[in-house]
Structure formats: C-alpha cells, structure tokens
Amino acid sequence: MTQAEDLSPHQRADELRLAGDLTGARSLVQERLGGSTGDERGRLLGVLGRVNLDSGENAAAAITLEEAVSLCQGVDPDESGELLLDLGCARQRIGNFDGALEVLQRAADRFIEADVPARQRLAWATQGRVHYDRHAWEKAAEAFTAALALTGD
C-alpha cells in the first residue's frame, strides 16, 4: 500500500474498500463528497458505487455509478473504462441487461483506446455473462470467444 498521506481521498477510500473496510471507505467518501466537485466528486462516487457493489446494494451502485460516469467525462480512458465496467456489472445484477451491454461496450472501447487488453478482455467476458443471463447463447459464445482470443496484459 502507498502511504496514506500521498493519496487523494478517493484513492484512500478505495484502499480501505480493497482491504475489506467497506464501512471505513463509505465514511471517508461521505465525509469528502460535500466539498467535492467535477472529476474528484465523480471519482469519490465511483468508489462509493464499488462499495455498494461489494456490499450487494446493486440498485444504489447503479445510481451512484451513473452519476460518477457523467461527472468523469474528462478522465483518462482507463479510468472511465473502469467506471463503465462497474456500472455494467451493477446493471447486470439488477437485470438491466440492455443497459449493461451498452455501457460494457463503451468500457471495452475505452480500454481499447487506453491500450489495456486485460481490462478489454474483462469487459468482453462480462458482456458474455450478460448474454448468458439473457439465454442468448450464441452471443454469449461470441463474447467469450472474443475475450479468450485477445492477447496481451
């Protein structure tokens, strides 16, 4: 882990989340949201959305991540791809399959732009899971095959 004083509030909150301290992450985000604007507010909401996903609050995650995506239009493609990927997962979990597929394709496109094949692979595999949930077997197989065929880290 990086020294806490070197991290922005959203990075500190995400480290807490990754360490399993969802309560601490949620508290830090809520404490910092009031004075935040723009990209930083979007990043904080992104962490809160991930906390909601991790705690099974999928509808709240979808709402929070939608706002995060709308606020983080100017961030680098890898970072916006992550937000879109998380939003796709939240939408899948609440049964919004069309919405999930739409943002998962946008996530894959952002990862292509950022040249991050491993995350692109994950976006395509997640699309495959959404198609599987819809019982669209051929589309699921196509997405899984595309994900498996992609090389690189």
Side-chain angles (χ1 to χ4, degrees):
M1 282 192 183
T2 312
Q3 296 222 342
E5 61 270 6
D6 295 337
L7 299 176
S8 67
H10 78 272
Q11 290 170 321
R12 285 197 312 268
D14 206 40
E15 282 206 353
L16 289 170
R17 179 188 70 85
L18 292 170
D21 184 0
L22 300 181
T23 302
R26 187 183 308 271
S27 293
L28 179 58
V29 167
Q30 290 172 338
E31 175 185 306
R32 297 299 185 135
L33 270 176
S36 65
T37 59
D39 290 347
E40 183 58 22
R41 181 174 181 77
R43 289 177 174 116
L44 286 165
L45 288 169
V47 174
L48 182 57
R50 290 179 187 110
V51 167
N52 290 338
L53 277 175
D54 292 348
S55 60
E57 301 168 54
N58 300 316
I63 292 167
T64 303
L65 289 163
E66 285 170 7
E67 186 177 352
V69 166
S70 72
L71 289 170
C72 288
Q73 295 298 314
V75 300
D76 67 75
D78 186 26
E79 188 175 1
S80 65
E82 290 295 333
L83 289 170
L84 290 163
L85 180 62
D86 292 334
L87 176 56
C89 291
R91 286 180 174 178
Q92 176 191 15
R93 290 180 185 184
I94 62 173
N96 180 355
F97 299 134
D98 290 335
L101 290 169
E102 182 264 324
V103 295
L104 289 168
Q105 183 57 54
R106 286 173 49 204
D109 293 343
R110 298 300 294 198
F111 293 133
I112 291 168
E113 182 181 340
D115 193 27
V116 187
R119 303 310 286 165
Q120 179 187 351
R121 186 179 307 114
L122 181 58
W124 284 348
T126 306
Q127 286 178 23
R129 288 196 314 267
V130 173
H131 287 302
Y132 184 87
D133 287 348
R134 297 177 87 172
H135 304 280
W137 313 124
E138 287 182 29
K139 288 183 179 184
E142 289 171 12
F144 289 134
T145 300
L148 289 170
L150 190 62
T151 60
D153 292 329

